[in-house]
Amino acid sequence: MDDRQFRNAMGKFATGVTVVATEVDSKVHGMTANAFMSVSLNPKLVVVSIAEKAQMLEKIYQSGKFSVNILAANQQELSMIFAGQVKNHQEVVFDQLGGVPVLPGAVVQITCEVTAAHVEGDHTLFIGKVTNIQLEDSEPLIYYSGKYRLMAEG
């Protein structure tokens, strides 16, 4: 199989859309990611997968903590901003949750302390111990087959 076929196949798995954020030297850094999952209930652990070439990789190593913000259906532009798809945009304002930057209006804001980092292939998997969670009652943004989607009532 070639790289394109693999990417197309992986794109057939519908996911939520997240922005992973961290703060280094009083500056917030964020990136869009859909490679996120829960790992354990006890202790409460999640994992995010960050590409070797991503600037965020070193930022998370430096800070030792990060947030995962599960985006709401009305936050597609934020996803595009943090994916580098929108060049001319207004500055994004972050809130703080336990000293970690989070995006207001996200369906879920999760803050984590890095407990482990595993290099696998061309990505690093950061295991994060969950330190705080905030929930909103709103619909999530979905990504499927290379396109943003909204959930439909079933």
Side-chain angles (χ1 to χ4, degrees):
M1 85 197 87
D2 64 15
D3 290 353
R4 174 51 46 202
Q5 183 183 27
F6 182 77
R7 285 182 68 99
N8 289 345
M10 295 304 102
K12 297 298 181 188
F13 183 63
T15 66
V17 181
T18 74
V19 169
V20 176
T22 195
E23 189 170 354
V24 175
D25 298 329
S26 302
K27 185 169 186 334
V28 177
H29 305 272
M31 68 167 275
T32 299
N34 65 350
F36 157 75
M37 67 179 213
S38 64
V39 173
S40 169
L41 183 59
N42 189 14
K44 291 168 184 57
L45 300 173
V46 298
V47 65
V48 293
S49 179
I50 310 293
E52 257 178 26
K53 61 185 180 187
Q55 296 175 4
M56 182 61 99
L57 185 68
E58 188 56 34
K59 303 301 181 193
I60 292 177
Y61 273 120
Q62 289 172 354
S63 70
K65 53 190 171 182
F66 60 91
S67 68
V68 178
N69 302 270
I70 300 174
L71 298 186
N74 65 354
Q75 293 182 307
Q76 179 177 329
E77 184 177 14
L78 286 173
S79 171
M80 295 171 73
I81 288 169
F82 289 105
Q85 298 169 338
V86 176
K87 299 302 179 197
N88 299 322
H89 60 85
Q90 295 182 354
E91 184 176 341
V92 176
V93 177
F94 285 84
D95 287 344
Q96 293 280 318
L97 182 60
V100 181
V102 293
L103 283 171
V107 175
V108 179
Q109 302 166 337
I110 304 167
T111 62
C112 303
E113 295 174 352
V114 175
T115 60
H118 301 280
V119 177
E120 295 295 338
D122 59 2
H123 280 63
T124 296
L125 305 176
F126 286 103
I127 308 294
K129 179 182 176 188
V130 176
T131 55
N132 213 327
I133 290 181
Q134 290 271 68
L135 301 163
E136 294 288 330
D137 188 20
S138 58
E139 293 294 319
L141 184 62
I142 305 293
Y143 200 72
Y144 173 75
S145 200
K147 296 180 181 164
Y148 292 99
R149 313 286 178 132
L150 301 177
M151 277 189 11
E153 294 294 322

